[in-house]
Amino acid sequence: MMRTRPLKVALLGCGVVGSEVARIMTTHADDLAARIGAPVELAGVAVRRPSKVREGIPAELITTDATALVKRGDIDVVVEVIGGIEPARSLITTAFEHGASVVSANKALLAQDGAALHAAADENDKDLYYEAAVAGAIPLIRPLRESLAGDKINRVMGIVNGTTNFILDKMDSTGAGYQEALDEATALGYAEADPTADVEGFDAAAKAAILAGIAFHTRVRLDDVYREGMAEVTSADFASAKEMGCTIKLLAICERAADGGSVTARVHPAMIPLSHPLASVRGAYNAVFVESDAAGQLMFYGPGAGGSPTASAVLGDLVAVCRNRLSGSTGPGESAYAALPVSPMGDVVTRYHISLDVADKPGVLAQVATVFAEHGVSIDTVRQQGKDGEASLVVVTHRASDASLNGTVEALRSLDTVRGVASIMRVEGE
């Protein structure tokens, strides 16, 4: 039997995502009620600009006092889609203290203060759900913390930012330079006016922290994630990648050490073989590749951003949290029992593609090979092209640690036959 008294929802933020959440709650009200077992009612919407016309939302629901809204005491669920650290953090904790569960899409806050937010939720016996914080509409958080809860996850690697994937895909498919591809992404609305959070990897790093924490049952904060942006990726890098049968993607990589004693989380551009499933992810789409002991290899693919896809994830969480409210239970909270150390980037082992500008004369290759050998870095392949006294030397290594590779590069810079290091890129996805 369906309960007639509605569950009341407070919405914090009514931008691209928030307005879609409100629209779906209204247009799909009957279906949502049937799935939950009770009607859901939009009880208030907190915004910064109350004068803006918001179609489909009664004016009496609009307020600029978000704190008063979450303190009402009759709110069952608070949906937070305002983003940023403050006031979102204070509003979420206040919501818990006044009896509401929370659905959030706030990746930056969860990556920075997820442990404290989970603690506040547990202390008040409330839910904290955040499927929409990573990869938009793609069901990822819930499979990791519920469907794969009985498995051992060893690696999570993926494309978790649509803007950067669009730019790199354009560079790969059309031969465009970085700035040209970025300008097109901006014109089409894929990139913000200030694209720093995307192209410098901050957005992907926040998502990597969340994924690593869930996958490895370990607290991983944003500061634990190594990050490199993609502004230095060139058309020449794509040409080199194609010669190797690869393409270039900005990847978020979270992995457990071979001995199981530590984990790493990192975001950086990398070459991946065209045979890898992630290589075929085009445009602004996201995809995440998961490797575990029992399930093996899984890939989750779909739109990673945008109002409707992100709202879909928010509404999925809303249904789950409302069901929990009706049953008097809560869903899974933070699982950080493993408490594994997060290793620095210097300990990460992978392959490398290094492009050097060198003098075109006998003995250069021998000198370079000696430096690699002295630092314990094994060479897989070498390509050399020379003209008019100058040459380019491309070295692809076997697996080596980041620290040993850095030492190798510093030593190479000291050789009088090496004019410069044109590029260094990791090779992933073997």
Side-chain angles (χ1 to χ4, degrees), residues 25-388:
M25 284 186 64
T26 302
T27 58
H28 295 181
D30 291 342
D31 286 337
L32 290 172
R35 294 164 191 172
I36 292 168
V40 287
E41 173 188 312
L42 189 59
V45 182
V47 299
R48 285 186 297 176
R49 296 185 294 276
S51 59
K52 181 179 178 181
V53 176
R54 293 173 172 86
E55 187 177 346
I57 300 177
E60 62 269 21
L61 295 184
I62 302 296
T63 179
T64 58
D65 193 344
T67 301
L69 179 59
V70 300
K71 281 184 173 181
R72 273 177 40 172
D74 65 335
I75 300 297
D76 293 288
V77 184
V78 169
V79 174
E80 183 272 309
V81 288
I82 57 177
I85 305 303
E86 287 292 353
R89 174 170 49 198
S90 297
L91 291 170
I92 289 173
T93 55
T94 300
F96 290 141
E97 292 165 359
H98 286 78
S101 290
V102 173
V103 173
S104 176
N106 196 330
K107 54 189 171 287
L109 178 57
L110 289 159
Q112 178 172 305
D113 289 320
L117 295 178
H118 275 293
D122 290 344
E123 182 180 346
N124 292 280
D125 196 27
K126 296 295 177 288
D127 275 324
L128 173 62
Y129 275 48
Y130 43 90
E131 184 68 63
V134 180
I138 304 172
L140 184 59
I141 301 295
R142 192 171 288 116
L144 287 178
R145 71 176 186 174
E146 296 182 32
S147 303
L148 296 174
D151 206 343
K152 179 184 177 184
I153 297 173
N154 297 309
R155 198 173 201 229
V156 179
M157 180 172 77
I159 299 162
V160 295
N161 183 278
T163 300
T164 55
N165 199 58
F166 178 88
I167 293 169
L168 292 173
D169 184 35
K170 280 294 176 182
M171 293 177 70
D172 184 26
S173 61
T174 69
Y178 168 76
Q179 190 60 51
E180 182 184 353
L182 173 58
D183 290 344
E184 182 175 351
T186 303
L188 292 172
Y190 291 122
E192 301 287 345
D194 179 1
T196 303
D198 294 323
V199 300
E200 292 300 327
F202 291 102
D203 176 84
K207 296 169 182 175
I210 295 169
L211 292 175
I214 296 170
F216 307 131
H217 304 279
T218 292
R219 286 178 177 169
V220 179
R221 301 181 74 251
L222 181 58
D223 292 345
D224 296 321
V225 181
Y226 173 83
R227 177 192 55 78
E228 282 182 26
M230 49 170 274
E232 301 302 317
V233 177
T234 66
S235 299
D237 291 326
F238 274 101
S240 293
K242 286 180 179 179
E243 289 180 2
M244 292 177 57
C246 292
T247 189
I248 299 172
K249 299 291 186 182
L250 184 75
L251 298 178
I253 303 172
C254 314
E255 56 190 351
R256 190 188 300 268
D259 62 5
S262 64
V263 298
T264 58
R266 49 197 166 101
V267 169
H268 53 71
M271 295 182 179
I272 58 172
L274 294 175
S275 58
H276 194 282
L278 291 176
S280 61
V281 178
R282 311 302 297 269
Y285 276 72
N286 284 192
V288 177
F289 201 71
V290 178
E291 300 175 27
S292 69
D293 276 2
Q297 297 179 335
L298 308 169
M299 193 168 91
F300 301 82
Y301 169 84
S308 294
T310 306
S312 171
V314 169
L315 267 296
D317 278 351
L318 179 63
V319 169
V321 170
C322 285
R323 287 171 174 170
N324 291 343
R325 296 283 288 195
L326 290 180
S327 66
S329 64
T330 56
E334 182 188 34
S335 176
Y337 73 90
L340 296 170
V342 182
S343 296
M345 187 62 186
D347 293 348
V348 170
V349 176
T350 189
R351 296 176 67 203
Y352 290 86
H353 176 282
I354 305 102
S355 180
L356 304 172
D357 295 326
V358 299
D360 186 16
K361 62 182 184 180
V364 173
L365 180 56
Q367 282 186 318
V368 169
T370 297
V371 170
F372 275 88
E374 289 173 347
H375 288 80
V377 179
S378 175
I379 294 175
D380 182 18
T381 61
V382 177
R383 298 196 312 275
Q384 184 174 6
Q385 293 179 322
K387 184 178 180 181
D388 299 329

